[in-house]
Amino acid sequence: MRAPEIRLIGAEGENLGVVHPARAMDLAAEAGLDLVEISPNATPPVCKIMDFGKFKYEQQKREAEARKKQKIIEVKEVKMRPGTDDHDFERKVSDAIKFLEKGDKVKVTLRFRGREMAHQNLGRELLERVAAKIEGHGKIENMPKMEGRQMIMMIGPVAK
């Protein structure tokens, strides 16, 4: 510490006032704890007498708890073709609904091959049918759009 004086907070959180850094080090050594700089940008800098190892351990525990509570959203993909039959269509839509209920996003990909490219309107109608079936379970984030030989639509879960 290079500051001529620091604001010191004791081990129990009591304010010990503005003291010289050498005096603060002595108080920390007396207590058998560490002198930790809490706020270096304050005038004068704020330091606290604490067990630094215990502080780092508790900080790691808080971060781990925060990570445990957050939900990682995955993007699941459902692939179809313009000629997908009714039963297969229903099966793929039910899979998409399961993914949405788990909180994942769904990417519906419609792949065109050969002459199917001439009938993109059929593909768009199929994706509109998917959107109609999924209504209530998810919301369309990206409307169907062509990317090369594929038509892609993104569906996100409905916030509960």
Side-chain angles (χ1 to χ4, degrees):
M1 276 175 250
R2 295 192 173 94
E5 49 187 25
I6 58 172
R7 181 169 306 279
L8 186 63
I9 299 171
E12 272 77 55
E14 71 279 5
N15 188 355
L16 301 177
V18 178
V19 296
H20 193 272
R23 170 88 176 114
M25 293 288 259
D26 291 340
L27 288 170
E30 231 173 73
L33 298 170
D34 304 309
L35 183 65
V36 181
E37 196 170 26
I38 302 293
S39 179
N41 299 333
T43 331
V46 179
C47 295
K48 185 174 183 180
I49 296 174
M50 67 168 74
D51 183 355
F52 189 64
K54 183 178 175 185
F55 172 72
K56 290 292 280 182
Y57 173 75
E58 288 172 352
Q59 191 176 17
Q60 283 177 333
K61 283 292 202 188
R62 280 193 301 272
E63 288 170 2
E65 191 67 32
R67 276 195 302 273
K68 197 185 297 180
K69 288 181 182 174
Q70 63 182 300
K71 170 79 172 93
I72 295 144
I73 296 176
E74 290 184 39
V75 177
K76 302 285 189 171
E77 187 171 20
V78 176
K79 292 184 178 183
M80 296 188 197
R81 297 270 316 280
T84 301
D85 206 30
D86 289 339
H87 181 265
D88 296 329
F89 172 81
E90 293 295 330
R91 173 69 196 177
K92 289 179 186 278
V93 167
S94 71
D95 285 345
I97 289 172
K98 271 190 240 168
F99 296 146
L100 290 167
E101 286 173 350
K102 285 184 185 173
D104 296 325
K105 288 185 177 187
V106 177
K107 177 180 178 181
V108 182
T109 305
L110 195 70
R111 173 165 279 153
F112 294 96
R113 287 181 9 200
R115 291 184 185 160
E116 292 172 348
M117 285 296 287
H119 304 286
Q120 291 179 13
N121 58 332
L122 295 176
R124 187 168 298 279
E125 288 170 10
L126 189 70
L127 288 179
E128 286 170 1
R129 273 179 54 202
V130 169
K133 289 272 188 183
I134 284 179
E135 188 117 7
H137 299 283
K139 61 180 184 303
I140 287 110
E141 292 181 352
N142 291 356
M143 290 305 287
K145 66 174 184 261
M146 284 298 293
E147 288 182 12
R149 291 187 157 275
Q150 297 180 356
M151 192 175 283
I152 295 171
M153 176 172 70
M154 285 295 288
I155 304 168
V158 175
K160 292 178 181 167

